[in-house]
Amino acid sequence: MKDYIFSMSYKRVAVAIVAVWSCMGCAGKREPQYDMMENLTARYNIVYHSRKIINDVMYDNAAAYVENYEQRLPVFIEPTDITAASNSPLMDSVIGKALTIINKKSKSKYISEAYLLTGQANYLKGNYYNAAEFFSYTAGTFTDMPEYRQAALVWKARALMQLGNLTESGNVLDTVFTALESDPNSMGLAFATQAKYYLLVQDEASAITMLLQALEHTKDKSTRLRWHFLLGQLLESEGRPEEAYSHYSRVVNSNASYEMAFHAGLNRIFLPGTVNTTTGDRIRLLQRMIRDGKNKEYRDQIYYQIAEMYYADGDWATALVNYEQALRQQGDNQYQTTRTYLRLADHYFDQAQYPIAKLYYDSVGMYLPMDFPDAGPVQRKVANLDELITQLEVVSHQDSLFFLAGLSEAQRHAQLDSLAIVRYVEIQDGRQAKNKKQQQNIVRSPFEEALFSPGTTYTDNRFYFNNPDAIGMGTTEFKRRWGNRPLQDNWRFSDMTAGGITDNSETGELAVNGSAIDSVVVDSAAWVQQFRDSYLNELPDTEAKRAAANNQIHTALLRVGELYRDELLDNKGAIDTYEDLLNRYPETKDAAMIYYNLYLLYNGIDQARAAAYKQKLLTQFPDALYSRILLDPMYLAKLQSQKQLLDQEYEEAYAAYTRQQFQEVIQLVDSISGQVQEPQPTLVQLAYLRALALGRTSGIDTLEKAFRELVDVFPNDSLISPLVHQHLAYIAENGPALAERKYALQGIDESRLRFIDEPTITPWPQLIINHGPERPVPRRNLAVSTAGQTGIGGRMTLANGGTLTRQQLAREAQITDDGENAYRDLELLPDSAVYYFVINVMNERVNLAPSRYGIGQFNRTRYTGRNIMHQLKPVNDENQLVYVGPFLNYEEAKTYEVRIMPLLPDIMKIPATLYNTFLITEDNFGTLSDFDKIDDYYTSYHEQE
C-alpha cells in the first residue's frame, strides 16, 4: 500500500513538474492577449461587413465595366474616375469602421485587417498614394503575420502601378517573390500583379508565365475566364497558335457571356495551323456565323473579318464589298465602325484616290473613340489630312500631265476622251440620284446616336458624346459649316466634283482632278471639250513648263516629307517620300537636308542605311549646315549665339556709317570677317556696308570691285546680292559719268539722282543706340509667333535648305495658290481694301533703323518701281509698329507677307521674341492705340490662318 501511495505521489510530482515547465514555455512565447469580446464584435460587426462592402464594390465595378474584346483585355478591372466617385461614400464607411477597430478595439486580433481594409478602401476611391502608404505601414508593422504582409505588398505594387511608378512597383514585387508565402488569398493575386507589371514593361512572354501561375491559384470563375481570354490574345501575339487555341476554346466551351464566347470563337478562326487552315474554310465558317440569328449584333465584325481575308488574298473588289457590308450592319460598336472606315480610308489613300480617302477619313474623325488603339496617329493623320492630300494631289496631277505629254497625240486624245466620258456619266448619275428621295442610312452619326438612342444614360459628361449640351452645340456648328446634310456614309460626297488625274506609270491609269473641269456644264459635247482643253493647256510641252512642273513636284514632296516627319510622326512615310524625291531628282539642291533627315529617320532602325546617308552627306556636302551639325551637336546653339553677336556688330557698323565714320566701318567689317569662319546672313549685310563705305572714300572702280567680290563670295544670298546686281547694272550703264567723280558715292543732295539707298538714322528722338534700362514685362504675355522668325534655332533651317539661311527658300519666291481660306473672316480681312504688312515690335526703345534699312533693301529688289514704303508708328510708349504698304487688296498683301517672312530673321536686327507680324486694313490700323488692342488684333488675325 505504501509502495502504491509512493508511486502515486511520484506521478503527481512528475505531472506538476511538466505543467510548470509548460507554463514557463508559454510564458516565454508571450502570445498576445486578445480580448474575446472585442474579437467577436470586431469580426462580426465590423470586419465581416467591411469585407462584404469591398467585395460588392469590386463586383459592381466588374459588372459595370464594358469589355472591349477588340483590344487586349486588362489583367484587373481597375477603378475609374466614375466608379471611384460613386463608391467614395461606401469606402469612407469602410475606413470609418476600420478606424473603430484601430482606436476602440485595440485588444482584438484584427488590427492588421483594419489597416489592410483602409488601404483597399483608399485604392477603390482612387487615392492611390494614400493606399500605398497604408499598405507600406501594414507590411512593415505586421511582419510576424506573413499573410497580411504579402497581401499588403501586392496591393502596394498595384497602387504604385496606378501612380505610374513602375520602378518602385517592380522592387516591391521582387520583395514579394523573394519569400513568396503559400497564402491562398494573396498568392494568385501576386502572380496576376506580376503579370500586369510585365505587360506594362512590354514583356509579354514573362506575363504569360505569370498568368498561367495565377490561374492555378485563383478560384473565381469569371476572373479565370477573363484570364483565359487574355492568355489567348497574348499567346496569339507571341506566335503560339496551338496554345492560344486551347485557351480560347476554354472560353468557348464555358458558361462565359455570349459576347466573350463569340469573340473567343472569332479569334480562334484566324489562328494559323489550327482546325480551319485555308482561307476558304474560314470564310465559310464566318458566313455560317452570319446566318446565326444570335450573331446579329456582331455581323459588322464578321463582315469585316471576311473583308480582311479577301484583302489579304489580293481580292480587293470583294474585300471592299464586304467592308461596305460591315458599315451597313445595325449596331453601336464604334470601335468596329472606326476600324472599317479607317481600313477603307487607308486603302484609297494607298491607291492615290485622295478625294475618296478624304471622305472616309472624315468619317473616321466622326466615330473615333478616345481610347481607340493608336488613336494618336489616327488623330494626327485626320488633323493634317487636308494639307497632306493637297500636296499629294499636286504630285499626282503633275505626274499625270507628264504621262499625257509622253503619249502620241492620238493616244493622248483617246485617253482624255475615255476619261471624260466616264466622268461625265458619273456626274449625271450623281445628279439623278440627288433628285431621288434618299433612304435613311442605317449607320447613324454620333450626334444621332447620342441624342436619340432610347434608354441612353449619361454617366460622365466630361466625355463629349455623353454631354447633351455639347452635342447640341456641336450639331449647330456642324450645320452652320456644312449645312443640313443627309445622314449617309461619306457625307462629303455631295461636295465632290472631280478628283485628281493620278498617273500610275506602270498601269497607265489616270484619275480625275476636280479643279480641271466645271461640273455645272450640261451640254455633253461642250463639257468633254472643256475637259480635254483644261489638260491640254497644262501639258508640260515646253522647257519652261517642264521646269515649273518639276518644281511643283519637288516642293510638294518636300512638304509631304515634313508632314510625315513632324506632324504625323510617321517615320516610314517620311523615309519613302524623301527617297522618292531623291530618285526623281538626284541633283536636288536640297540633297544635304534630305540626307540629314534620312540619317535621323534610319538611326536606331537600320544602322547600315543611317551610316550610308551620313557618309553621303559628309562626302558630298562637307561644308553644309547639316554636316556641321552631325560633327558638332552643339553647332546650332553656337551659331545662334554668334548671330546675336554679329547683329550687335552690324548695329554698331550701321551707326558708324550714319555718323560718316567710313574708315571705322571698313576696319570694323574687316576685323569681323577675319574672325568669323561660319556662314552667317549678317556677313553679307556687313560686306554691303563696307562696300558703301569704300564708295564714300574711293572712286567708282573700287566700289565696283567691292560689289563684284560681294556677289562672288555670297552667290546664293537673296537679300543683298540681287540689290548689288542692280547697282552693277547701273554702273555698267552710266560708267563714264560715274568715272568723273572723285568719290563714287557723294553726299545726299535732293537735286541729284541717287542709285544707292544709303543708311540713315531714323528721325525719332526716342530711338537711341544705347538701349537704356530694361522695360518691365508687358501687362499681358503676348503669344509671339516665332515660326520662321527664330534665326538659326528651332525647326526652320532643317526643313528649308542645305545652307544656313532661309534665303534659298525665298530665292525664287514663287507663290502658289493653295485655294481660298474658308475660315477667313471677310469683315476683318476683306478681299478689297488698303492693307499694310505690320511688324509689331514690343519694345518702344529698341533702335529699328538697321532693321528698316533691311526692309528697304528687300523692297528695292522685289518691288522696284512700286510705291511701297516702310514707315514707323510709336504706340503709347509701349510698341513700335513698322508698317509696309500700301497694298490695294488682300491677295497682294498676303503675297508680300509670304515673300518676306523667310527673310525676316535676317532683316530684323533684334531678337525674334521682341516682334511678331500681321496684315491689317488701313481702317483697322488706326484703331491700334495701345498694347492690348495690338495683342487682341494679333490673336484674331492668326486665328484666321
Side-chain angles (χ1 to χ4, degrees):
M1 186 67 179
K2 288 182 180 180
D3 292 338
Y4 174 74
I5 293 172
F6 177 79
S7 176
M8 290 297 294
S9 299
Y10 176 78
K11 289 179 180 179
R12 287 173 181 172
V13 170
V15 170
I17 292 172
V18 170
V20 170
W21 277 105
S22 297
C23 292
M24 291 176 65
C26 292
K29 290 183 180 179
R30 295 185 179 179
E31 288 287 342
Q33 298 297 315
Y34 295 120
D35 184 278
M36 184 178 68
M37 288 303 298
E38 287 192 5
N39 280 341
L40 287 173
T41 55
R43 177 178 180 180
Y44 292 106
N45 291 348
I46 300 177
V47 173
Y48 172 80
H49 291 291
S50 297
R51 287 177 179 172
K52 189 174 188 313
I53 290 172
I54 286 180
N55 290 335
D56 288 346
V57 165
M58 294 175 68
Y59 177 83
D60 291 341
N61 288 351
Y65 183 77
V66 179
E67 298 280 12
N68 184 0
Y69 297 100
E70 297 175 45
Q71 296 189 53
R72 190 173 67 191
L73 296 187
V75 177
F76 300 111
I77 297 174
E78 301 290 4
T80 65
D81 291 341
I82 299 172
T83 60
S86 63
N87 295 325
S88 183
L90 288 173
M91 295 302 99
D92 288 339
S93 172
V94 171
I95 293 171
K97 294 176 185 297
L99 287 175
T100 300
I101 295 178
I102 295 170
N103 296 327
K104 297 182 179 181
K105 299 186 181 294
S106 57
K107 293 184 179 180
S108 73
K109 63 179 181 180
Y110 294 102
I111 300 296
S112 55
E113 180 81 18
Y115 280 107
L116 185 63
L117 287 170
T118 303
Q120 291 173 336
N122 276 284
Y123 187 95
L124 294 174
K125 284 180 63 177
N127 295 335
Y128 301 114
Y129 181 82
N130 291 347
E133 292 299 314
F134 276 106
F135 293 137
S136 295
Y137 179 82
T138 305
T141 303
F142 304 101
T143 55
D144 57 339
M145 299 181 177
E147 67 277 13
Y148 284 103
R149 178 178 179 275
Q150 179 165 292
L153 289 174
V154 172
W155 277 94
K156 178 183 177 181
R158 289 183 62 181
L160 291 170
M161 281 186 240
Q162 292 297 99
L163 292 170
N165 191 347
L166 294 181
T167 302
E168 184 63 25
S169 177
N171 294 336
V172 173
L173 288 171
D174 289 343
T175 303
V176 172
F177 283 91
T178 300
L180 186 64
E181 300 288 341
S182 58
D183 175 41
N185 295 322
S186 62
M187 201 168 181
L189 185 66
F191 283 115
T193 304
Q194 184 71 72
K196 178 180 178 179
Y197 171 81
Y198 281 134
L199 289 177
L200 290 174
V201 297
Q202 309 299 318
D203 186 355
E204 293 188 355
S206 298
I208 291 170
T209 302
M210 290 295 107
L211 267 182
L212 290 171
Q213 293 289 327
L215 278 172
E216 294 181 8
H217 297 89
T218 302
K219 296 180 180 179
D220 183 74
K221 292 183 179 180
S222 62
T223 302
R224 289 173 58 85
L225 288 173
R226 289 186 73 259
W227 288 349
H228 276 300
F229 192 99
L230 175 57
L231 278 167
Q233 293 175 310
L234 294 173
L235 290 163
E236 182 180 357
S237 174
E238 288 290 294
R240 296 156 64 178
E242 294 82 3
E243 296 173 75
Y245 188 92
S246 173
H247 285 281
Y248 283 137
S249 297
R250 293 288 295 269
V251 177
V252 172
N253 299 326
S254 70
N255 62 344
S257 68
Y258 185 78
E259 184 179 14
M260 180 184 283
F262 167 81
H263 284 92
L266 190 64
N267 292 350
R268 195 172 59 170
I269 291 174
F270 302 100
L271 294 173
T274 54
V275 177
N276 303 291
T277 56
T278 67
T279 301
D281 291 338
R282 291 169 181 162
I283 290 176
R284 281 189 289 273
L285 181 56
L286 288 170
Q287 288 172 339
R288 284 201 300 270
M289 294 175 70
I290 289 175
R291 293 191 291 271
D292 189 340
K294 292 184 295 184
N295 296 330
K296 182 178 180 180
E297 61 180 297
Y298 307 115
R299 286 176 182 170
D300 54 347
Q301 298 174 59
I302 300 172
Y303 276 116
Y304 178 84
Q305 296 297 344
I306 292 174
E308 287 285 271
M309 284 188 287
Y310 279 121
Y311 199 93
D313 282 355
D315 188 354
W316 291 356
T318 308
L320 294 176
V321 170
N322 281 278
Y323 285 132
E324 294 293 346
Q325 282 284 1
L327 290 175
R328 292 191 181 96
Q329 303 309 306
Q330 186 174 8
D332 57 356
N333 188 338
Q334 286 195 348
Y335 278 83
Q336 184 57 59
T337 303
T338 302
R339 288 177 66 191
T340 308
Y341 275 127
L342 185 60
R343 195 72 174 88
L344 286 165
D346 288 341
H347 166 77
Y348 287 112
F349 186 87
D350 292 339
Q351 299 305 309
Q353 298 185 41
Y354 302 121
I356 300 177
K358 184 185 294 186
L359 304 174
Y360 281 110
Y361 280 122
D362 281 342
S363 298
V364 171
M366 291 285 288
Y367 282 90
L368 183 67
M370 291 188 296
D371 57 345
F372 187 78
D374 298 324
V378 174
Q379 289 172 333
R380 287 193 294 271
K381 192 166 190 176
V382 171
N384 293 280
L385 187 68
D386 285 343
E387 184 176 3
L388 181 64
I389 287 182
T390 297
Q391 301 300 332
L392 290 173
E393 283 178 336
V394 169
V395 177
S396 174
H397 182 57
Q398 295 302 325
D399 282 346
S400 299
L401 293 173
F402 274 114
F403 170 76
L404 288 172
L407 300 176
S408 67
E409 187 173 356
Q411 291 174 324
R412 188 182 306 129
H413 283 284
Q415 186 76 261
L416 284 173
D417 288 345
S418 174
L419 187 63
I421 292 171
V422 171
R423 183 61 191 143
Y424 183 81
V425 171
E426 289 177 356
I427 291 175
Q428 296 304 317
D429 290 345
R431 287 176 177 169
Q432 293 173 9
K434 197 180 264 187
N435 293 331
K436 296 179 181 179
K437 185 177 180 180
Q438 297 285 337
Q439 292 185 353
Q440 184 172 344
N441 196 295
I442 295 176
V443 179
R444 295 184 293 180
S445 73
F447 294 127
E448 187 185 13
E449 291 287 348
L451 288 173
F452 305 117
S453 295
T456 301
T457 301
Y458 303 107
T459 56
D460 183 9
N461 285 348
R462 288 171 295 180
F463 178 49
Y464 180 85
F465 292 114
N466 283 350
N467 189 329
D469 294 333
I471 294 171
M473 289 187 291
T475 306
T476 302
E477 176 63 18
F478 180 91
K479 291 180 178 179
R480 182 193 67 78
R481 181 174 176 187
W482 299 104
N484 192 15
R485 300 298 179 97
L487 290 172
Q488 59 185 19
D489 286 348
N490 304 321
W491 46 270
R492 280 179 58 174
F493 265 123
S494 58
D495 280 350
M496 179 177 167
T497 54
I501 287 191
T502 302
D503 169 31
N504 186 327
S505 56
E506 297 179 358
T507 63
E509 294 179 352
L510 297 174
V512 187
N513 187 315
S515 61
I517 61 172
D518 179 7
S519 60
V520 177
V521 179
V522 176
D523 180 69
S524 60
W527 190 94
V528 171
Q529 184 62 43
Q530 181 185 359
F531 180 90
R532 184 193 299 117
D533 291 345
S534 66
Y535 287 107
L536 292 176
N537 293 335
E538 292 186 73
L539 284 181
D541 49 9
T542 66
E543 193 62 36
K545 285 187 175 181
R546 282 190 288 272
N550 280 317
N551 183 62
Q552 288 189 50
I553 294 173
H554 185 280
T555 303
L557 285 176
L558 272 182
R559 182 58 184 149
V560 170
E562 292 173 10
L563 287 170
Y564 276 125
R565 182 195 65 202
D566 299 333
E567 306 299 338
L568 303 179
L569 306 182
D570 182 351
N571 288 352
K572 183 180 183 302
I575 288 171
D576 293 343
T577 303
Y578 284 134
E579 291 185 337
D580 180 29
L581 198 155
L582 287 175
N583 291 333
R584 289 170 179 260
Y585 308 106
E587 302 300 323
T588 172
K589 60 184 176 60
D590 294 306
M593 181 270 288
I594 297 171
Y595 288 152
Y596 179 77
N597 277 286
L598 286 170
Y599 162 74
L600 294 180
L601 292 165
Y602 274 120
N603 195 23
I605 300 175
D606 187 337
Q607 293 303 125
R609 299 295 296 274
Y613 282 115
K614 178 179 180 180
Q615 185 61 31
K616 284 184 178 182
L617 175 59
L618 296 177
T619 303
Q620 298 178 24
F621 306 97
D623 297 326
L625 169 66
Y626 304 98
S627 298
R628 298 172 186 270
I629 294 172
L630 276 181
L631 297 174
D632 182 5
M634 297 302 295
Y635 180 75
L636 280 180
K638 294 175 182 177
L639 214 57
Q640 174 66 20
S641 176
Q642 187 182 79
K643 181 182 183 299
Q644 293 175 353
L645 292 174
L646 280 176
D647 284 346
Q648 295 175 8
E649 299 282 2
Y650 178 82
E651 185 175 337
E652 182 179 342
Y654 184 94
Y657 191 98
T658 60
R659 295 192 299 266
Q660 300 190 13
Q661 297 171 343
F662 304 119
Q663 290 299 330
E664 182 180 339
V665 173
I666 296 170
Q667 294 171 5
L668 179 60
V669 174
D670 287 343
S671 66
I672 294 171
S673 301
Q675 297 172 7
V676 179
Q677 303 298 323
E678 305 295 341
Q680 286 277 13
T682 310
L683 289 176
V684 66
Q685 297 166 329
L686 285 166
Y688 184 71
L689 278 182
R690 178 183 180 276
L692 296 187
L694 286 171
R696 277 303 195 105
T697 57
S698 307
I700 193 64
D701 293 339
T702 303
L703 177 63
E704 183 178 6
K705 180 182 178 182
F707 280 158
R708 294 196 182 280
E709 289 176 353
L710 186 151
V711 295
D712 289 341
V713 174
F714 303 99
N716 295 325
D717 175 76
S718 62
L719 179 63
I720 302 300
S721 292
L723 188 63
V724 173
H725 282 296
Q726 289 182 7
H727 299 338
L728 289 171
Y730 184 90
I731 292 172
E733 185 178 348
N734 301 276
L738 295 173
E740 297 177 358
R741 296 182 178 182
K742 179 180 180 181
Y743 301 123
L745 300 178
Q746 299 178 3
I748 297 175
D749 185 351
E750 297 299 333
S751 64
R752 182 176 60 248
L753 179 65
R754 288 182 294 152
F755 74 96
I756 290 179
D757 183 19
E758 297 181 68
T760 57
I761 279 290
T762 304
W764 290 92
Q766 69 272 31
L767 296 180
I768 58 176
I769 299 301
N770 297 322
H771 297 172
E774 292 293 327
R775 293 285 297 174
V777 178
R779 294 192 297 273
R780 291 193 293 174
N781 290 327
L782 184 62
V784 181
S785 173
T786 58
Q789 301 181 7
T790 54
I792 304 304
R795 292 167 39 188
M796 53 83 201
T797 54
L798 302 186
N800 292 333
T803 61
L804 173 65
T805 70
R806 287 151 304 284
Q807 298 172 354
Q808 288 190 352
L809 177 67
R811 192 184 315 156
E812 298 182 18
Q814 295 185 358
I815 310 303
T816 58
D817 183 10
D818 293 331
E820 183 180 357
N821 179 4
Y823 301 99
R824 176 155 60 95
D825 183 349
L826 294 180
E827 293 184 4
L828 185 70
L829 300 170
D831 291 331
S832 297
V834 175
Y835 277 91
Y836 291 103
F837 172 76
V838 178
I839 303 172
N840 169 37
V841 180
M842 294 164 285
N843 187 312
E844 83 284 9
R845 299 180 66 83
V846 68
N847 180 22
L848 293 180
S851 301
R852 290 185 61 194
Y853 186 55
I855 296 171
Q857 292 171 330
F858 175 85
N859 291 344
R860 290 193 65 184
T861 56
R862 269 66 172 188
Y863 291 89
T864 304
R866 294 283 302 277
N867 187 28
I868 301 297
M869 299 179 293
H870 57 94
Q871 303 175 68
L872 185 67
K873 176 184 177 181
V875 177
N876 199 33
D877 292 333
E878 294 178 305
N879 299 60
Q880 299 181 71
L881 301 182
V882 179
Y883 59 104
V884 184
F887 303 101
L888 301 182
N889 54 57
Y890 175 80
E891 182 179 357
E892 187 178 312
K894 190 67 178 178
T895 299
Y896 183 90
E897 180 185 48
V898 171
R899 297 181 73 176
I900 197 173
M901 286 302 293
L903 299 176
L904 204 58
D906 301 334
I907 292 173
M908 300 299 292
K909 300 307 174 188
I910 61 175
T913 54
L914 288 183
Y915 68 89
N916 55 42
T917 65
F918 51 81
L919 297 179
I920 191 169
T921 63
E922 187 176 38
D923 292 340
N924 287 330
F925 184 72
T927 67
L928 303 181
S929 58
D930 58 36
F931 179 93
D932 289 336
K933 290 181 179 177
I934 297 172
D935 183 14
D936 292 339
Y937 180 84
Y938 172 81
T939 302
S940 299
Y941 173 75
H942 282 278
E943 285 176 352
Q944 310 303 312
E945 296 183 341

